[in-house]
Amino acid sequence: MDGYLNSSLEEKTIYDIYRACRLCGAGAGYKMPIMQNVVHLDSSEKQLQSIQDRLNQPHLKVFQDCVTRWNSTFYMFERFSKIKDALSLYMNDNEIDSVLPEEWKMIESFIQLLGPFEEATRELSSSSALISSVIPIIQMLEKKVDDYLTRSQEFDPIRQAVMTLKNELSTKFSSLGENNLFTIATYLDPRYKHKFFTPVTEEKIKDDILKMII
């Protein structure tokens, strides 16, 4: 799942959000990561904790992402959102370029959109994952993306990235419904049965099962 999600994260708008979160002004036009400023300096971490104490918030660190794992970027944005108030004060106190209000909204949209993908990644990567769950999960993700596009406006800043995600999701799993291994497993799972298949596909699955038995 990392492949097509990483591609979508390369969309310019998403990259701009990413850059807004990671980069900060450090004087003389020099740019340095917020992560480096907060995570790797004990004094910075203590300062952030002090701000969280003033706000009666738990001590939560910023999350360092890994460029090769899309979900680590999701976790970074999620943590930024959780410590938004404390982090905004920290950036202000240290003359770091602030994340703008519209950028915070974009981050929230990003979290809302990719939350189901993070859950799906964890479920399909677990040791107890079942092949029968693949088709239901993929169809659920496709519906989430379609729902987002239906609700969003044309000027939605991450709409293009969502459309790219939809196209790659469709391309990556377009032949999944034709794979007997997945369709039969899903059909025989009492949790799903025929819920995710058209009548025509269901009849084909039944025929395939009979051929396996005979």
Side-chain angles (χ1 to χ4, degrees), residues 6 57 59 63 67 77 86 120 123 135 141 158 164 179 192:
N6 278 337
Q57 295 179 348
H59 291 174
F63 186 90
V67 295
F77 283 140
E123 181 169 347
I135 288 177
L141 293 177
I158 69 170
T164 299
N179 189 311
Y192 308 128

Side-chain angles (χ1 to χ4, degrees), residues 21-22 26 48 51 59-60 66 86 114 139 147 168 182 185 214:
C21 286
R22 292 199 99 231
L48 181 61
I51 294 173
H59 291 174
L60 295 176
C66 173
L114 292 187
Q139 289 194 19
D147 288 346
E168 296 198 16
F182 290 95
I214 298 175

Side-chain angles (χ1 to χ4, degrees), residues 12-140:
K12 183 178 184 301
T13 302
I14 298 298
Y15 174 75
D16 287 343
I17 305 174
Y18 177 80
R19 184 176 181 278
C21 286
R22 292 199 99 231
L23 299 182
C24 62
Y30 179 70
K31 295 287 185 179
M32 65 180 295
I34 290 177
M35 300 305 171
Q36 178 180 329
N37 187 288
V38 179
V39 174
H40 299 298
L41 299 177
D42 289 340
S43 59
S44 297
E45 183 178 329
K46 290 179 180 178
Q47 183 182 356
L48 181 61
Q49 290 177 352
S50 176
I51 294 173
Q52 290 170 333
D53 287 337
R54 282 158 42 197
L55 297 175
N56 293 318
Q57 295 179 348
H59 291 174
L60 295 176
K61 300 178 181 180
V62 291
F63 186 90
Q64 176 68 65
D65 71 322
C66 173
V67 295
T68 60
R69 304 296 293 180
W70 81 268
N71 51 352
S72 71
T73 303
F74 170 81
Y75 296 140
M76 181 184 73
F77 283 140
E78 187 178 50
R79 178 56 57 86
F80 261 66
S81 179
K82 287 182 179 179
I83 62 173
K84 172 182 176 181
D85 294 337
L87 197 57
S88 294
L89 289 175
Y90 175 88
M91 288 187 285
N92 182 67
D93 291 347
N94 291 275
E95 298 183 350
I96 297 172
D97 292 343
S98 298
V99 179
L100 301 176
E102 56 268 28
E103 291 171 335
W104 282 119
K105 291 181 180 179
M106 293 163 69
I107 291 172
E108 292 299 332
S109 295
F110 177 90
I111 294 171
Q112 180 183 9
L113 172 68
L114 292 187
F117 285 86
E118 188 276 334
E119 293 178 12
T121 299
R122 280 191 290 108
E123 181 169 347
L124 293 178
S125 300
S126 71
S127 59
S128 59
L130 298 175
I131 191 174
S132 61
S133 296
V134 175
I135 288 177
I137 287 176
I138 296 304
Q139 289 194 19
M140 177 273 293

